[in-house]
Amino acid sequence: MHNPGHRFQAQDRFEAGAQYIAGRLTKGTSGRTHAVVDPATGDDVYTYELASTADVDAAVAAAREAFPGWAATTPGERSDAMHRFAAVLADRAEEFAQAESLQCGKPIKLTREFDVPGTIDNTAFFAGAARQLQGQSAGEYSGDHTSYVRREPIGVVGSIAPWNYPLQMAAWKVLPAIAAGNTIVLKPAELTPLTSLLFAEAATRAGIPDGVVNIVTGAGKDAGEHLVGHPDVAMTSFTGSTAVGKRVAEIATATVTRLHLELGGKAPFVVFDDADLEAAVHGAVAGSLINTGQDCTAATRAYVQRPLYEEFVSRTADLMATVRLGDPFAPDTDLGPLISFAQRDRVAGFVDRARSYARVVTGGEIPRDLKHGAYYRPTLVADAAQDSEIVRSELFGPVLVVLPFDSDDEGIRLANDTPYGLAASAWSRDVYRANRATREIKAGCVWVNDHIPIISEMPHGGYKASGFGKDMSSYSFEEYTQIKHVMFDNTAVARKDWHRTIFGDR
């Protein structure tokens, strides 16, 4: 197994601390420490002091101080700074890839070819989008007035990001916020702060002013809740579980803070009987195992029309069995560990309980040769009931459940039979059949004959218990801008006719 010290000197790199406030690394003041653990080995790779509420206050104060100057910059100036930001990220791409693999256990080929390039592309996209913050064009809608709409930055944004995609989630939170002229305080997950800190450093190197991007690394109950409820935070963006999202919403509602939530998912993967079976099988394995299944859009519930069901189960199990587990830094590793031993055991518990009511076709075990890491074999479960735990609950692991259906009506009904609505896919050669699925499946993204790809130009966000609001794309500016109606009188008449409805006679 790899020696992480050979690839990323985390302890030395961030010796000054894991808080990034007003352009400088500093230590937390909570009096408590936390270790970043390499989930492939169980070794501590970086120990740091957690943020206190006082550190959150300092970060918010820095963001508040930086806001007037940053908000006053022109769209072109913000765009130029963000283009420089993208260039810094590109120059340091390998450092980001190795840090992300180290703290998350992601295979290096995933971080090099997905996480890091995607983040660079997001940054370049928002560099361009910063110049397109337009309101409705001017017009005389009342006849006597000219109206137009301004988009204005909100102020200080408080964001909380999860551990499954630390770099990409930091980008999804930071980029639209600052492109719109806001400043931000981001709290990454305590488990995975390294690339969020590198990201903030890169922003400073690109010439983005101190205080525009700040990072506080602390516990959710302390730093996170204090950030959401802070009186100087004008908007909160949270990505994480639905349960925690409800708590965030409670706090934000109490202060009437604007809120954006991207929460859990239980994505259906609907295979109709005319689908390209080979494509569906490959899509199911890739879509369910990306990031070791720790993806809220991952394929988790495969509904396969009965004529294809048994062959789909057999071929998917065979393909899953070829997936290579191992050292995340080895170029031929396909699947890394889960984020922690606790998460591995949680996933294993779901599968073990399912043995009493379903069929574990392949996987369902901890590999003996990788017992020092949080590994779990790719797992296919078949014949579970729709109302069973493994079908209803979000596992966040390398597990795919397959269920049969008969009619198209039933397949779409089963796909929608979930509290979640983040993502889904439909597999068919029939354009009318596929189009119906995209209309009727209630999810923020529906892929046809693929599952997982995302692009910067298109929005990401859910229905129902998966939250509301959008990450990525120009649609995200709806979350990060205030809409203002401006109305000019064009008549120069002092005594307007409508005044008579309040006082006097016509």
Side-chain angles (χ1 to χ4, degrees):
M1 190 58 70
H2 69 275
N3 177 354
H6 292 164
R7 293 176 170 83
F8 186 76
Q9 296 291 343
Q11 195 75 47
D12 295 340
R13 185 74 180 80
F14 294 125
E15 186 176 358
Q19 319 304 322
Y20 196 81
I21 300 172
R24 292 176 297 282
L25 285 165
T26 184
K27 295 182 184 297
T29 61
S30 69
R32 292 179 291 131
T33 59
H34 193 276
V36 176
V37 177
D38 176 359
T41 63
D43 295 334
D44 293 357
V45 296
Y46 176 54
T47 301
Y48 64 93
E49 297 82 1
L50 289 164
S52 67
T53 56
D55 299 318
V56 174
D57 290 341
V60 173
R64 184 180 181 185
E65 182 178 355
F67 173 67
W70 183 246
T73 58
T74 66
E77 289 169 335
R78 292 198 295 273
S79 177
D80 289 347
M82 295 183 72
H83 278 299
R84 295 193 301 270
F85 192 5
V88 172
L89 295 173
D91 288 343
R92 299 173 63 189
E94 182 62 16
E95 180 183 11
F96 276 91
Q98 292 194 19
E100 196 79 333
S101 288
L102 177 64
Q103 67 181 353
C104 299
K106 296 172 185 275
I108 192 69
K109 67 178 180 180
L110 181 66
T111 60
R112 284 174 176 161
E113 298 178 34
F114 183 76
D115 297 73
V116 175
T119 300
I120 295 168
D121 186 71
N122 285 165
T123 309
F125 169 81
F126 279 106
R131 303 185 81 136
Q132 301 297 320
L133 278 165
Q134 298 173 349
Q136 191 173 10
S137 59
E140 287 70 45
Y141 299 97
S142 78
D144 291 338
H145 306 82
T146 296
S147 289
Y148 66 88
V149 171
R150 291 175 55 88
R151 282 190 182 271
E152 297 180 349
I154 296 172
V156 177
V157 175
S159 290
I160 300 175
W163 48 256
N164 59 332
Y165 288 101
L167 176 59
Q168 287 195 312
M169 294 299 99
W172 287 15
K173 302 304 183 193
V174 169
L175 296 172
I178 67 172
N182 302 288
T183 57
I184 188 168
V185 178
L186 171 72
K187 192 199 88 65
E190 305 96 294
L191 296 173
T192 54
L194 300 182
T195 46
S196 296
L197 294 166
L198 288 173
F199 192 70
E201 277 192 329
T204 298
R205 289 192 185 187
I208 293 173
D210 294 348
V212 172
V213 179
N214 305 275
I215 308 292
V216 289
T217 309
K221 284 287 186 182
D222 302 323
E225 293 197 0
H226 189 65
L227 177 61
V228 174
H230 199 288
D232 290 333
V233 168
M235 182 257 184
T236 293
S237 178
F238 170 80
T239 296
S241 71
T242 297
V244 177
K246 290 178 180 178
R247 175 59 181 157
V248 170
E250 289 174 0
I251 299 170
T253 300
T255 56
V256 198
T257 301
R258 184 184 290 209
L259 185 61
H260 164 220
L261 297 174
E262 197 266 89
L263 306 177
K266 190 71 176 174
F269 185 101
V270 184
V271 182
F272 294 101
D273 57 14
D274 67 330
D276 180 330
L277 184 59
E278 182 178 11
V281 167
H282 281 78
V285 173
S288 63
L289 299 184
I290 185 170
N291 201 30
T292 318
Q294 299 166 124
D295 186 314
C296 48
T297 65
T300 57
R301 298 178 292 140
Y303 296 102
V304 182
Q305 207 150 23
R306 204 170 295 275
L308 297 183
Y309 178 72
E310 291 297 343
E311 188 175 1
F312 178 91
V313 170
S314 174
R315 292 177 63 172
T316 300
D318 289 345
L319 187 57
M320 273 191 173
T322 69
V323 172
R324 299 165 294 185
L325 284 69
D327 178 357
F329 286 90
D332 59 350
T333 292
D334 298 321
L335 197 76
L338 285 96
I339 189 64
S340 67
F341 292 94
Q343 180 64 13
R344 181 200 65 185
D345 294 345
R346 177 180 178 275
V347 171
F350 277 104
V351 176
D352 289 343
R353 291 189 295 275
R355 296 180 197 278
S356 66
Y357 58 78
R359 175 166 51 113
V360 178
V361 183
T362 191
E365 62 182 10
I366 297 168
R368 294 181 181 179
D369 57 333
L370 295 168
K371 62 183 179 180
H372 297 298
Y375 289 88
Y376 195 74
R377 291 204 184 280
T379 300
L380 186 69
V381 177
D383 306 337
Q386 175 67 13
D387 61 355
S388 62
E389 176 192 53
I390 204 162
V391 173
R392 306 297 297 178
S393 301
E394 187 177 30
L395 275 63
F396 237 51
V399 179
L400 177 64
V401 183
V402 189
L403 298 86
F405 70 91
D406 292 305
S407 68
D408 288 17
D409 288 347
E410 182 188 16
I412 292 173
R413 178 182 61 78
L414 291 172
N416 285 329
D417 183 20
T418 175
Y420 301 108
L422 188 58
S425 63
W427 298 74
S428 173
R429 291 184 173 96
D430 185 328
V431 65
Y432 298 102
R433 208 176 201 182
N435 199 31
R436 178 193 174 189
T438 65
R439 289 194 313 271
E440 296 185 13
I441 293 177
K442 304 304 181 187
C445 174
V446 181
W447 293 283
V448 176
N449 295 329
D450 208 344
H451 194 110
I452 284 297
I454 53 175
I455 50 176
S456 297
E457 291 83 358
M458 289 292 111
H460 177 87
Y463 285 33
K464 303 188 290 186
S466 292
F468 47 82
K470 299 300 179 184
D471 288 310
M472 298 199 299
S473 83
S474 295
Y475 289 98
S476 65
F477 287 135
E478 301 298 323
E479 319 305 326
Y480 295 98
T481 54
Q482 183 67 51
I483 302 300
K484 177 185 287 184
H485 171 216
V486 178
M487 195 174 203
F488 281 87
D489 171 59
N490 293 332
T491 67
V493 173
R495 299 180 62 184
K496 295 179 171 58
D497 189 54
W498 74 267
H499 292 175
R500 305 291 78 78
T501 65
I502 310 304
F503 64 92
D505 301 318
R506 291 186 183 277

